[in-house]
Amino acid sequence: MRELYRDPVYDGATDPRVVVDADGLWWMFYTQRRASLADAGPGVSWVHGSRIGVATSTDGLDWRYDGTLEPTASDLVLEPGPPPAEVDRTHWAPEVFWDGARWRMHLTEIDGIPDRWPGFARAIVEYVSDDLRHWSRRGPLVLSSDRVIDAAVARTPDGLWRLWYKDEAADSVTMVASSPDLVDWSLDGVAIGGRPHEGPTVFELGGLWWLIVDEWRGMGVYRSDDGTRWTRQGDADAVILADLPTGGVGSHGAQVRVGDDLWFYFFAAAAAAAAAERAPAHAATGEQRRSAVHRVGLEVEGGKLIVRGSKIPR
């Protein structure tokens, strides 16, 4: 396993979401944390003030930085180069998907640049696009609280679209809403409870539905026959993508299906040596802030989701 991508501006690529367009070009949308910025502000300001970074690839392995999604009036437009030095809002965790007619993005938005975790409203806002470069704002979704982040969307076998998300006001578990048309949403309650977690992603593989969540110690895995009722894989402590060969654990990711392959892109702490070589002037910010994007193949064996090349989920 190797680092596939490092953000060339702030070295803090997190929450990757990869899609492939009709021409076969791979697009990565990610949270561009300001990890290497020495004067980002107090506390966790460096995690905020983030834009959505964009990179493209012809094969899903070698990536080119293309810029950031910049606010223009109420919309977002892909602009080359680094973001402005001064920003007034925070964008996190883009969920990008094709609805059969156009692209949609469900994006976490926060006003301002908070320096602490509690006390600041968060919303999931919908955008639409025909080309993945220009995004028109549709507006925030009305969900279970004003502390919602990390959207994941899929169409389940019953024909409904479902939106899974983290609700920080509900002890940071995964909630779910459903819609027949991606316009009117019904709140369906808790999808996955238990210990706090974030970053849900949902997909079908091997005749089963899978939901992966980030437990900050690896990824918890849940399975379902219909995408609505979930059973944990293994016991309460079972995770995948713990103890990575590069060090650390896998964090917040999402899948992309290409042909018969299902790839899971996620982020992890960047290799300390590489971080020091690339930006020695910013070493004082702490190498633990820096992150890199990785990918693994996922497959189903004996009714269990496993990382390709591994026989036992860990």
Side-chain angles (χ1 to χ4, degrees):
M1 181 184 298
R2 66 180 177 88
E3 295 179 342
L4 291 187
Y5 181 75
R6 298 276 288 272
D7 175 68
V9 181
Y10 292 133
D11 209 15
T14 60
D15 314 332
R17 180 65 165 111
V18 174
V19 298
V20 181
D21 69 17
D23 296 322
L25 186 65
W26 300 57
W27 293 71
M28 182 192 301
F29 298 84
Y30 61 93
T31 305
Q32 189 187 59
R33 287 183 182 175
R34 302 181 301 159
S36 66
L37 187 61
D39 58 352
V44 293
S45 297
W46 67 276
V47 182
H48 298 84
S50 46
R51 294 296 203 230
I52 299 305
V54 180
T56 54
S57 171
T58 59
D59 61 6
L61 293 171
D62 296 313
W63 292 89
R64 179 192 70 190
Y65 175 73
D66 284 354
T68 56
L69 296 184
E70 291 298 321
T72 302
S74 63
D75 298 338
L76 297 173
V77 177
L78 177 59
E79 298 285 355
E86 299 291 333
V87 295
D88 62 358
R89 69 197 73 180
T90 296
H91 289 164
W92 280 349
E95 164 66 321
V96 178
F97 63 100
W98 179 255
D99 70 4
R102 64 195 317 188
W103 294 100
R104 294 184 185 244
M105 176 168 59
H106 287 182
L107 177 63
T108 302
E109 295 190 353
I110 306 168
D111 288 336
I113 307 174
D115 60 4
R116 63 188 70 89
W117 298 119
F120 294 88
R122 313 167 187 331
I124 293 174
V125 179
E126 182 183 55
Y127 292 82
V128 296
S129 175
D130 294 321
D131 63 4
L132 294 170
R133 295 173 176 84
H134 304 84
W135 294 89
S136 298
R137 182 185 175 97
R138 288 286 185 85
L141 304 182
V142 178
L143 297 171
S144 50
S145 81
D146 64 353
R147 298 292 190 277
V148 295
I149 67 172
D150 297 354
V153 179
R155 197 169 196 173
T156 47
D158 59 5
L160 294 177
W161 292 93
R162 282 189 164 78
L163 165 67
W164 296 265
Y165 59 94
K166 174 186 178 182
D167 188 344
E168 295 177 342
D171 297 323
S172 294
V173 299
T174 297
M175 309 291 282
V176 62
S178 59
S179 172
D181 54 11
L182 291 169
V183 176
D184 298 313
W185 292 93
S186 299
L187 301 183
D188 297 335
V190 176
I192 300 295
R195 57 164 41 102
H197 55 267
E198 64 185 9
T201 190
V202 178
F203 56 92
E204 184 276 332
L205 183 66
L208 295 166
W209 282 80
W210 304 95
L211 189 157
I212 298 177
V213 295
D214 179 2
E215 296 186 351
W216 309 294
R217 59 191 185 93
M219 306 286 195
V221 177
Y222 293 81
R223 57 174 280 178
S224 172
D225 293 326
D226 58 8
T228 63
R229 297 179 294 272
W230 301 95
T231 302
R232 189 177 180 104
Q233 175 172 288
D235 62 27
D237 294 322
V239 291
I240 62 172
L241 298 178
D243 302 320
L244 299 178
T246 54
V249 301
S251 299
H252 193 145
Q255 80 293 337
V256 60
R257 190 188 307 271
V258 180
D260 294 331
D261 293 318
L262 189 135
W263 300 106
F264 186 73
Y265 286 80
F266 61 97
F267 81 92
E277 290 166 5
R278 292 188 57 169
H282 298 305
T285 62
E287 300 305 336
Q288 73 275 10
R289 293 185 177 185
R290 301 169 184 266
S291 53
V293 174
H294 301 253
R295 84 170 189 181
V296 293
L298 297 180
E299 58 189 24
V300 177
E301 183 175 296
K304 292 184 176 180
L305 186 72
I306 64 170
V307 175
R308 187 173 299 161
S310 170
K311 296 299 181 182
I312 303 175
R314 294 191 300 158

